[in-house]
Amino acid sequence: MPNKKPAMDFDADWSYSPAPQSSAEVKLRKRYDMFIDGEFRPAESGEFFESINPATEEKLTEVPQAGADDVERAVAAARQAYTGTWSRMAAAERGKFLFRIARMIQERSRELAVMESMDGGKPIREARDIDIPLAAAHFFYYAGWADKLDYAFPGRSAQPTGVAAQIIPWNFPLLMAAWKLAPALAAGNTLVLKPAETTPLTALLLAEIVREAGLPPGVVNIVTGSGETGKILVRHPDVDKIAFTGSTVVGKEIMRALAGSRKRYTLELGGKAAIIIFADAAIDQAVEGIINAIFFNQGHVCCAGSRLFVQESVAAEVLEKLRDRMDTLMVGDPLDKNTDVGAINSREQLERIRAYVAIGQEEGGEVYQSRCSLPDRGFWHAPTLFSNVSQSHRVMQEEIFGPVLAVQTFRTADEVIAKANNTPYGLSGGVWTDKGAKIFKITREIRAGVIWANTFNKFDPSSPFGGYKESGMGREGGLEGLLPYVHLSTPRRR
Ligand code: NDP
């Protein structure tokens, strides 16, 4: 009997012609300088390091390796700007600067999106439709609060904290910079920001925007460098507040370094979010939600849904549809507008992901990977699904930070709540069900900062974001995101 043609032949029926995004708008320089006291300058040491395109492994440019002298200069500039201008400026004027930055991000959005995609490996579609618009939205949102702090905290007077040291990771470089800068500036603080070593370029473009917007020198300083630069910055005695986003390991190290100091800090760390699919959920939508939860930005997302719990009666159906959908994901050139899953951010991260996949297999997990061909050059990992795993498997417990999902089944709501809470993390989660009562039960009983219902990875500047347990402390976004940047006092009554 002749072979029966499958109902859907994804290789033939779902092929798209390439739709490359032009990179002509990005004029990369051979070298970049960092931004201190309103000026672009190299490191005191004269050292530079390379930033490469993870999709091609080609060198994009060089950026300065900031050392202790540079950090010293940046913090001094921030202090000077804090006492001299920014904290004294009328709040409405501060707000105008933020509005200006927001609009300039919009004006240069194409350039920013392409640069983000080239420097970090994320699909241009995500950089263009999510990262850059959300970054502008954060500036718009906090611009609005700048002269309304008395309404934000009624009956209390809000004073700025001082100089903030802000350290951001490589998964959402410009967006994380916006999350950090916008509330700090709106509340009257000055700052020194350190972008991640593998993705410094959009932060340096933001520095150009800041300068063009006319902010007084020293209000925003951007130092580029390695983890060592971050370490020096965190420990600087004239810094009042630390805002860190990154790994739990470094977050703990920062906590230890700050113990006993008067410095304030917020830590936004790792996660191992649960995605819970009840039998009464709209299954096709739930499958789409799972795809978004774990494969968005190659799974380089602190709130990624990396643990899937499916109610037993629909597990076979969900997994079959999920595998089919994984096969349709387009993995490859981040600058192709069709691409769903781009490049892994660095060789180091790729090796970490591969090591976890090997561990999962050694521990008895069963692997399914998308049937996709990966480019020869660059850092790539096929979307991966682990089944036949238990709660104690490391792929079920540890943050992988890549396109790797592990699945288990459950029978009752109480069982899945216990399983979902069995993690050192508590950043996010998602539940799919037709029943409002189940949504309330799950969201009440799962200990996580954000839980989405029938959707995932939805962000808005007005919505606070942050974790419990080893996922960190403090909130970013919304009114709560202003709190770490203000001292609140109660005005004396006459
Ligand atoms: P890190 O936590 O090391 O990096 C985050 C930021 O902190 C970067 O700017 C980094 O600089 C800086 N940094 C590194 N060490 C120190 C230090 N001792 N003191 C102050 N700042 C420091 O994350 P990695 O890039 O090494 O990624 C490792 C793992 O962390 C990933 O596999 C993933 O699991 C997790 N991760 C989680 C993130 C999240 O949002 N939850 C974000 C990023 C990573 P530099 O880049 O120059 O090293």
Side-chain angles (χ1 to χ4, degrees):
M1 224 170 89
N3 274 352
K4 192 172 157 269
K5 190 174 180 284
M8 284 265 211
D9 181 354
F10 290 117
D11 290 334
D13 304 342
W14 289 82
S15 57
Y16 288 75
S17 298
Q21 163 70 50
S22 161
S23 58
E25 223 152 315
V26 174
K27 304 265 180 290
L28 284 171
R29 281 175 240 139
K30 270 185 84 175
R31 274 190 172 174
Y32 282 77
D33 287 330
M34 56 190 165
F35 187 60
I36 298 178
D37 206 11
E39 285 184 9
F40 287 94
R41 55 174 86 204
E44 281 288 308
S45 65
E47 282 176 41
F48 285 83
F49 64 92
E50 291 182 357
S51 193
I52 66 160
N53 181 339
T56 60
E57 298 179 58
E58 277 160 18
K59 174 178 159 181
L60 291 173
T61 184
E62 293 182 349
V63 293
Q65 170 64 51
D69 292 345
D70 306 294
V71 170
E72 185 62 46
R73 189 176 281 183
V75 174
R79 175 62 60 193
Q80 172 74 28
Y82 176 72
T83 46
T85 54
W86 197 246
S87 64
R88 297 170 171 204
M89 189 182 283
E93 293 303 310
R94 285 204 304 262
K96 285 185 203 167
F97 281 110
L98 291 182
F99 276 123
R100 204 176 293 162
I101 294 173
R103 283 195 299 267
M104 289 169 76
I105 290 175
Q106 289 182 322
E107 279 160 17
R108 296 179 76 169
S109 58
R110 178 76 61 104
E111 184 186 1
L112 283 162
V114 174
M115 197 181 243
E116 198 74 307
S117 178
M118 288 169 74
D119 202 21
K122 67 173 64 208
I124 184 66
R125 204 154 37 87
E126 292 177 6
R128 182 194 65 193
D129 298 347
I130 297 169
D131 293 58
I132 312 301
L134 264 180
H138 270 267
F139 279 101
F140 276 123
Y141 175 77
Y142 282 110
W145 275 122
D147 61 349
K148 299 175 196 68
L149 294 179
D150 290 345
Y151 302 99
F153 309 107
R156 287 183 293 172
S157 149
Q159 298 303 319
T161 309
V163 174
Q166 308 186 317
I167 297 171
I168 55 173
W170 40 260
N171 50 350
F172 295 93
L174 185 75
L175 184 57
M176 287 301 109
W179 278 30
K180 300 278 183 276
L181 260 67
L185 295 175
N189 304 269
T190 59
L191 59 97
V192 181
L193 174 92
K194 192 202 86 70
E197 204 172 343
T198 57
T199 53
L201 298 188
T202 48
L204 293 174
L205 216 112
L206 182 62
E208 282 177 20
I209 289 175
V210 163
R211 186 152 94 157
E212 226 178 290
L215 264 82
V219 172
V220 171
N221 304 274
I222 298 185
V223 293
T224 49
S226 60
E228 194 51 36
T229 313
K231 213 169 183 173
I232 298 168
L233 183 56
V234 162
R235 286 160 180 76
H236 195 289
D238 203 27
V239 160
D240 300 294
K241 140 99 186 129
I242 319 287
F244 172 80
T245 300
S247 61
T248 297
V249 174
V250 174
K252 285 181 183 176
E253 188 195 313
I254 291 177
M255 266 181 103
R256 280 194 291 272
L258 299 183
S261 81
R262 60 174 179 81
K263 291 177 191 172
R264 289 178 164 203
Y265 55 89
T266 41
L267 304 172
E268 204 266 273
L269 309 176
K272 193 77 187 172
I275 315 170
I276 299 170
I277 314 288
F278 281 100
D280 57 26
I283 298 297
D284 289 345
Q285 285 170 30
V287 168
E288 213 43 50
I290 299 165
I291 293 284
N292 173 265
I294 184 63
F295 301 125
F296 170 55
N297 202 29
Q298 297 73 249
H300 300 329
V301 184
C302 49
C303 55
S306 47
R307 293 181 298 151
L308 171 62
F309 297 101
V310 188
Q311 201 156 22
E312 208 171 82
S313 58
V314 290
E317 181 188 355
V318 168
L319 291 183
E320 191 189 339
K321 288 188 168 175
L322 179 59
R323 290 189 191 108
D324 272 359
R325 181 68 180 92
M326 283 169 67
D327 285 336
T328 67
L329 287 172
M330 304 189 63
V331 185
D333 182 7
L335 283 182
D336 189 319
K337 291 172 213 161
N338 295 319
T339 293
D340 298 307
V341 180
I344 298 302
N345 184 263
S346 63
R347 181 181 298 281
E348 202 186 347
Q349 188 61 23
L350 177 60
E351 272 158 19
R352 198 169 291 150
I353 296 166
R354 284 182 176 154
Y356 268 112
V357 172
I359 290 168
Q361 285 174 302
E362 277 160 28
E363 290 185 341
E366 202 174 292
V367 174
Y368 183 82
Q369 289 191 314
S370 292
R371 287 186 289 138
C372 57
S373 54
L374 301 178
D376 297 332
R377 292 203 67 183
F379 313 132
W380 309 96
H381 201 283
T384 300
L385 172 67
F386 266 104
S387 50
N388 198 24
V389 291
S390 70
Q391 287 282 300
S392 60
H393 275 73
R394 284 181 67 190
V395 289
M396 204 70 194
Q397 282 295 324
E398 298 177 21
E399 185 181 49
I400 301 174
F401 224 62
V404 182
L405 176 67
V407 57
Q408 286 195 285
T409 57
F410 68 93
R411 288 184 180 170
T412 66
D414 287 333
E415 179 192 345
V416 77
I417 288 165
K419 283 180 165 169
N421 278 332
N422 179 20
T423 166
Y425 296 110
L427 191 55
S428 63
V431 52
W432 271 263
T433 169
D434 195 29
K435 301 282 179 287
K438 274 187 203 155
I439 291 176
F440 285 124
K441 181 173 171 68
I442 295 290
T443 49
R444 217 177 26 240
E445 296 187 32
I446 288 197
R447 197 159 157 73
V450 184
I451 302 189
W452 289 283
N454 295 320
T455 187
F456 209 90
N457 278 337
K458 289 277 178 283
F459 305 98
D460 189 274
S462 63
S463 172
F465 184 88
Y468 292 104
K469 302 194 277 186
E470 296 206 2
S471 290
M473 55 193 57
R475 295 291 178 265
E476 292 186 307
L479 263 183
E480 291 78 358
L482 283 168
L483 275 171
Y485 292 104
V486 291
H487 286 296
L488 293 178
S489 58
T490 312
R492 285 212 191 107
R493 290 174 196 274
R494 300 203 174 167

